[in-house]
Amino acid sequence: MAITKVGCMKASKKKQKDIHLKNSINYILNPMKLGIANLAGGINCPLEIAYEQMKATKEMFQKTGGRQGYSLIISLKPGEGTPEIAFDMARRFTEEFLGDRYEVVYAVHIDKDHIHSHIVWNSV
């Protein structure tokens, strides 16, 4: 059975308010975490420019402060499932829950003994 963890990213008190959003996207798309499976996807934003597009959306709606985004981790028990199953779970959750309303990045990490998916979406 999968375990989920939900979080939110508040604006940083430092100069770059959206640094937590930027770091989260960079973390989940880290090739060392993705491993040979290299399973990552996005909705409403290309992976290569996901952070820049989310930032532009925030600026367009004048919502650059406050909550920056949300994160969700779906972890499978060791030996449970495959990277492809974890990817399908993340994709289906993203499509069904967030639909076409948000910019979203999701990826499967296989760097631990348990396969897990990360989902990050823009708060705007």
Side-chain angles (χ1 to χ4, degrees):
M1 177 180 281
I3 298 170
T4 59
K5 180 179 178 183
V6 181
C8 70
M9 292 165 261
K10 296 180 181 178
S12 174
K13 294 180 180 172
K14 298 182 179 179
K15 186 176 182 181
Q16 187 177 355
K17 291 182 181 179
D18 60 359
I19 192 68
H20 301 306
L21 180 63
K22 181 178 184 178
N23 290 344
S24 293
I25 293 169
N26 288 340
Y27 177 78
I28 71 169
L29 295 177
N30 180 337
M32 298 297 290
K33 303 281 183 184
L34 296 171
I36 60 172
N38 197 30
L39 296 171
I43 294 181
N44 300 321
C45 62
L47 295 178
E48 301 79 22
I49 60 166
Y51 163 71
E52 290 82 4
Q53 186 167 326
M54 289 183 191
K55 182 177 180 176
T57 299
K58 290 179 176 307
E59 290 169 354
M60 182 172 64
F61 288 99
Q62 299 175 349
K63 301 273 187 177
T64 56
R67 190 160 289 149
Q68 297 297 301
Y70 300 92
S71 65
L72 178 78
I73 303 169
I74 305 171
S75 297
L76 301 175
K77 291 181 181 178
E80 183 180 56
T82 65
E84 292 77 20
I85 289 171
F87 184 75
D88 187 55
M89 289 170 62
R91 181 190 55 77
R92 286 190 340 203
F93 171 85
T94 301
E95 289 174 355
E96 292 175 23
F97 182 68
L98 302 169
D100 62 354
R101 298 175 308 223
Y102 294 94
E103 296 157 326
V104 185
V105 174
Y106 54 94
V108 175
H109 287 184
I110 60 170
D111 62 323
K112 306 265 186 209
D113 62 344
H114 63 282
I115 298 168
H116 56 285
S117 302
H118 291 268
I119 303 170
V120 170
W121 66 97
N122 194 350
S123 61
V124 177

